[in-house]
Amino acid sequence: MNVAMIGSGYVGLVSGACFAEFGANVTCIDVDQSKIDRLNEGEIPIYEPGLDDLVERNVKAGRLTFTTDYDPAIAEADLVFIAVGTPTRRGDGHADLVYVYEAAKQIARHLDGYTVIVDKSTVPVGTARQVCRIIKEENPDADFDVASNPEFLREGAAISDFMRPDRVVLGVENDRAEKLLRELYRPLNLIEAPILVTGLESAELVKYASNAFLATKISFINEIANLCEQVGADVHAVAKGMGLDGRIGRKFLHPGPGYGGSCFPKDTTALIRIGQEHGSPCRIVEATVEVNAAQKARMVKKVRDALGGNVSGKTIAVMGLTFKPETDDMRDSPSLAIIPNLVDKGATIRAHDPQGVEEAKKLLPAKVQYFDDVYEMFSGADACVLMTEWNEYRGLDFGSIKSKMAGNVFIDLRNVYEKTQMLGNGFIYYCVGR
Ligand SMILES: NC(=O)c1ccc[n+]([C@@H]2O[C@H](COP(=O)([O-])OP(=O)(O)OC[C@H]3O[C@@H](n4cnc5c(N)ncnc54)[C@H](O)[C@@H]3O)[C@@H](O)[C@H]2O)c1
């Protein structure tokens, strides 16, 4: 089976490599020449555990290639996936579909023989039909169907999520398209991964509804954490007590500085817009977004309060910058809301991240100082903030860290450390909801 993947970012590259691993011949296409050059030189442009080996293996086997050229991959493809970005459109919160529509036009010009064009990007309800309309307009003779196959992989665990998904959602309009997609995903039958076949609109909405629900869980537990701080409760005990109820579940009930990343922020705002446009507001999601923004602001206040109400002239060491561990993705990371605010208020920021520094440099104020050696970062710091819970921060020698610091304030925004342990190391310890 021949597959073309339009867009070779987090989703396109991982999905393309995984489909190749399933045995398909995959061509990953991207407009970014430097990205394609790097891939052709054997370099992986993103940090995703295990992706380098997977790509190398499938390139060597001749099943995975990279190009900027739509020709001849589209003509030869049985299935063409659209996995381009759908960022928030400036000004109105809507998903920006320019990349999807541009890809659809390009695909249309190169189609040859029956082809299924599949939206893998997260797109508003109705997009698959728009893609269908664009292709018909560009190439009235084209023989094709459109389908929707939203992607649920998580960065940092993308390959195992793709290879062992909780579910695969196929939005299709006829048996012919369904058959081809089922054939592509056939290796997953071995592990009995559930395959849910729906109409186009339902498939498009499953993705937004799922992300909005997870974001809601996070905002919910963050509000409960804030309440815990007021009433003297421990949010971990509360979350555990809630999560043991099978109807609620334990996952995504961990408090922190607010959600971020390439999906939740943009997908929640896009869902709000979809609801408004269809006269069916998603008020819970609206509140989720508001609570999330407030949580980031609350973290700034937490740092300020911990430093006596004023961060001006203080040096703060920040552990972790990416929106979560095991990725170099900085998109909408809470650090992008919190650090500039502290810099504006006069703080000096010293920062460390195992993978995110290159991206962070493009997005954070120029004054932020970066360190390769995490221990060196703490020299002379008045306070330390744990922003992202990378595993390598779990086993640090806090006695040595404390001795390097000028102050003794430790603000754990991810509730990774035990209070008694940190007090034992001579810190004044703050966390979230405990
Ligand atoms: N990142 C995730 O964890 C994740 C998970 C599930 C779903 N998604 C969704 O998948 C989609 C892609 O996300 P991503 O994180 O991979 O984005 P990304 O920005 O990492 O990659 C998108 C790529 O598409 C390329 N591109 C843009 N226009 C193109 C065109 N006309 N032809 C060829 N290539 C083109 C860009 O150069 C870029 O390399 C989004 O809709 C996102 O919401 C992302």
Side-chain angles (χ1 to χ4, degrees), residues 239-407:
K240 192 166 183 189
M242 288 170 63
L244 286 170
D245 184 327
R247 294 168 303 175
I248 297 174
R250 301 163 83 136
K251 292 183 178 165
F252 276 74
L253 287 180
H254 193 85
Y259 60 78
S262 65
C263 291
F264 287 1
K266 79 174 177 61
D267 292 350
T268 43
T269 44
L271 182 59
I272 290 168
R273 291 294 301 167
I274 295 167
Q276 286 166 349
E277 276 175 9
H278 289 82
S280 186
C282 297
R283 286 197 294 269
I284 292 173
V285 187
E286 288 171 15
T288 294
V289 171
E290 272 173 41
V291 169
N292 195 53
Q295 187 70 2
K296 291 176 187 173
R298 200 181 159 95
M299 297 302 110
V300 174
K301 184 169 180 301
K302 191 182 273 290
V303 174
R304 235 179 36 223
D305 289 351
L307 281 162
N310 188 0
V311 295
S312 181
K314 302 285 189 199
T315 299
I316 302 172
V318 178
M319 301 157 76
L321 299 167
T322 51
F323 82 97
K324 66 173 179 181
E326 297 300 328
T327 181
D328 57 354
D329 202 338
M330 282 293 297
R331 285 179 282 186
D332 265 311
S333 174
S335 67
L336 297 180
I338 296 167
I339 291 177
N341 201 310
L342 295 171
V343 171
D344 281 351
K345 291 186 167 65
T348 297
I349 302 291
R350 294 161 72 88
H352 176 271
D353 189 281
Q355 295 293 339
V357 168
E358 284 319 302
E359 277 307 301
K361 282 180 180 166
K362 299 175 199 161
L363 301 166
L364 285 170
K367 285 182 190 165
V368 174
Q369 302 161 26
Y370 299 91
F371 294 84
D372 292 333
D373 182 324
V374 67
Y375 286 98
E376 201 188 324
M377 168 181 68
F378 294 104
S379 288
D382 297 295
C384 171
V385 174
L386 177 77
M387 187 77 74
T388 314
E389 68 281 31
W390 285 89
N391 268 339
E392 70 175 74
Y393 297 150
R394 290 178 194 262
L396 294 174
D397 175 354
F398 283 103
S400 152
I401 288 169
K402 170 72 183 48
S403 69
K404 287 178 191 296
M405 287 174 63

Side-chain angles (χ1 to χ4, degrees), residues 74-370:
I74 303 296
E76 291 169 1
D78 302 294
L79 290 147
V80 178
F81 284 84
I82 301 179
V84 301
T86 49
T88 302
R89 190 161 69 195
R90 209 175 268 257
D92 65 4
H94 207 285
D96 194 342
L97 295 172
V98 287
Y99 305 107
V100 172
Y101 293 159
E102 180 52 33
K105 278 188 198 163
Q106 299 259 23
I107 292 165
R109 290 172 202 148
H110 293 91
L111 286 174
D112 185 10
Y114 178 72
T115 316
V116 182
I117 290 111
V118 194
D119 271 337
K120 201 169 235 330
S121 298
T122 303
V123 289
V125 179
T127 304
R129 292 196 194 282
Q130 287 293 340
V131 166
C132 181
R133 187 186 54 74
I134 290 169
I135 294 174
K136 274 190 183 143
E137 259 173 35
E138 285 291 316
N139 183 351
D141 299 328
D143 181 14
F144 72 101
D145 280 307
V146 292
S148 168
N149 171 220
E151 183 49 58
F152 299 95
L153 62 77
R154 294 164 302 167
E155 285 173 20
I159 293 166
S160 59
D161 281 353
F162 198 95
M163 294 293 196
R164 311 189 69 80
D166 289 340
R167 78 300 208 186
V168 172
V169 175
L170 303 178
V172 289
E173 294 230 276
N174 61 39
D175 292 347
R176 200 176 177 193
E178 181 185 332
K179 210 170 146 223
L180 266 179
L181 277 161
R182 279 190 182 275
E183 178 63 21
L184 180 66
Y185 278 106
R186 196 159 48 103
L188 294 183
N189 293 348
L190 277 175
I191 55 162
E192 296 181 8
I195 296 198
L196 175 70
V197 179
T198 73
L200 296 175
E201 284 74 14
S202 302
E204 289 170 335
L205 204 49
V206 169
K207 174 67 190 178
Y208 279 119
S210 301
N211 273 0
F213 191 80
L214 293 172
T216 301
K217 268 189 122 175
I218 294 173
S219 277
F220 184 88
I221 203 65
N222 280 339
E223 277 202 321
I224 296 296
N226 300 340
L227 181 59
C228 284
E229 290 179 7
Q230 300 310 313
V231 301
D234 177 341
V235 69
H236 285 228
V238 176
K240 192 166 183 189
M242 288 170 63
L244 286 170
D245 184 327
R247 294 168 303 175
I248 297 174
R250 301 163 83 136
K251 292 183 178 165
F252 276 74
L253 287 180
H254 193 85
Y259 60 78
S262 65
C263 291
F264 287 1
K266 79 174 177 61
D267 292 350
T268 43
T269 44
L271 182 59
I272 290 168
R273 291 294 301 167
I274 295 167
Q276 286 166 349
E277 276 175 9
H278 289 82
S280 186
C282 297
R283 286 197 294 269
I284 292 173
V285 187
E286 288 171 15
T288 294
V289 171
E290 272 173 41
V291 169
N292 195 53
Q295 187 70 2
K296 291 176 187 173
R298 200 181 159 95
M299 297 302 110
V300 174
K301 184 169 180 301
K302 191 182 273 290
V303 174
R304 235 179 36 223
D305 289 351
L307 281 162
N310 188 0
V311 295
S312 181
K314 302 285 189 199
T315 299
I316 302 172
V318 178
M319 301 157 76
L321 299 167
T322 51
F323 82 97
K324 66 173 179 181
E326 297 300 328
T327 181
D328 57 354
D329 202 338
M330 282 293 297
R331 285 179 282 186
D332 265 311
S333 174
S335 67
L336 297 180
I338 296 167
I339 291 177
N341 201 310
L342 295 171
V343 171
D344 281 351
K345 291 186 167 65
T348 297
I349 302 291
R350 294 161 72 88
H352 176 271
D353 189 281
Q355 295 293 339
V357 168
E358 284 319 302
E359 277 307 301
K361 282 180 180 166
K362 299 175 199 161
L363 301 166
L364 285 170
K367 285 182 190 165
V368 174
Q369 302 161 26
Y370 299 91

Side-chain angles (χ1 to χ4, degrees), residues 1-3 16-26 58 63 184 187:
M1 186 170 279
N2 290 332
V3 170
C18 290
F19 284 144
E21 183 79 0
F22 287 173
N25 296 312
V26 181
N58 284 284
R63 290 190 300 260
L184 180 66

